[in-house]
Amino acid sequence: MPQSIHILHMFPDLLNLYGDKGNIACMQKRLEWRGIACELTRCTFDERFLDFEKVDIIFLGGGSDREQKIVCSALLQYKDKLKAYVERGGVLVAVCGGYQLLGKYYALPDEKIEGLDILDIYTEHGSPRLIGNIVLQSESIAQPIVGFENHGGRTYIGSHTPLGKVVKGFGNTGESGAEGVRYKNVFATYLHGPLLPKNPQLCDTILEQALKQKYPDFTALAPLDDKMENQANTYMQNIILSD
Ligand code: GLN
């Protein structure tokens, strides 16, 4: 039977800073190139989504403080379902504002945005904003992860495992040397925009986790010709590290 993966993009209308949705296109293409079908559902702010049982990957992008406040109440309706989805090993990719909302709260100077409490983390607004290119080294992914970050929030991850160690850049707090969180099949990060096109090994790790969850016999993805993608990744590493 042909394999297929169902991606749910939550709030693409509000959480899509720097074109985070390009990451969806990257996952779709890397599946299709291997003959794996990909179904995509977009759940906008005005819609309701209930069938988390039928989803293999959930994507939550980044947004400004204003958009996060708007999304927050809608997202909290799904709190129990999303928590259950994560605990049973569902794949969740969350970027920046989406990452912050997975925690207990995001404290702004004048208010506290309640989070989903999926991760035992919290975020506090700080100054200055942490902006720039970043390189990480993850324990489980050989290829260094390159990207761009722009956040006022400082995220304290307690005993969670980070997505990677900061080689250059700011990361979760600008001081901890940690970036993002990797918990079960949650990949949470401050790295914006074309995260997955820039990091093909990270993209494939995410896809493999989703396929392993859905198909217990699944072993590994067929390799792709990633010469150009890998060159682009190395080029960015060199630029960022020599800066
Ligand atoms: N509003 C959050 C912050 O500035 C997240 C911003 C973003 O998604 N870039 O910390």
Side-chain angles (χ1 to χ4, degrees), residues 74-103:
L75 203 54
L76 286 173
Q77 293 175 40
Y78 301 116
K79 185 172 175 172
D80 293 342
K81 283 179 185 279
L82 281 172
K83 214 174 171 130
Y85 169 87
V86 165
E87 289 305 311
R88 69 170 180 269
V91 176
L92 171 59
V93 183
V95 174
C96 201
Y99 165 32
Q100 294 171 344
L101 289 174
L102 299 186

Side-chain angles (χ1 to χ4, degrees), residues 97-157:
Y99 165 32
Q100 294 171 344
L101 289 174
L102 299 186
K104 291 188 179 301
Y105 61 82
Y106 174 29
L108 289 160
D110 50 354
E111 76 178 289
K112 218 176 197 180
I113 300 177
E114 186 184 343
L116 291 164
D117 198 16
I118 287 175
L119 301 177
D120 192 8
I121 65 173
Y122 64 93
T123 301
E124 286 174 350
H125 181 79
S127 185
R129 293 190 71 78
L130 305 177
I131 307 172
N133 286 318
I134 178 166
V135 182
L136 319 177
Q137 187 61 64
S138 153
E139 267 183 23
S140 52
I141 301 165
Q143 183 171 55
I145 299 171
V146 296
F148 171 75
E149 59 182 326
N150 179 359
H151 49 107
R154 273 68 170 158
T155 298
Y156 298 90
I157 67 168

Side-chain angles (χ1 to χ4, degrees), residues 99 130 134-137 149 151 155-158 160-167 169-181 188-191:
Y99 165 32
L130 305 177
I134 178 166
V135 182
L136 319 177
Q137 187 61 64
E149 59 182 326
H151 49 107
T155 298
Y156 298 90
I157 67 168
H160 275 296
T161 304
L163 178 66
K165 282 193 180 136
V166 177
V167 180
F170 297 107
N172 285 333
T173 66
E175 289 168 356
S176 65
E179 203 295 315
V181 166
T189 179
Y190 269 116
L191 275 54

Side-chain angles (χ1 to χ4, degrees), residues 1 6 20 39 44 46 65 71 84 98 106 157 206 216 223 227 243:
M1 211 176 82
H6 184 184
D20 286 334
E39 183 188 347
T44 61
D46 296 323
D65 294 349
V71 161
Y106 174 29
I157 67 168
I206 291 166
K227 195 163 165 247
D243 192 18

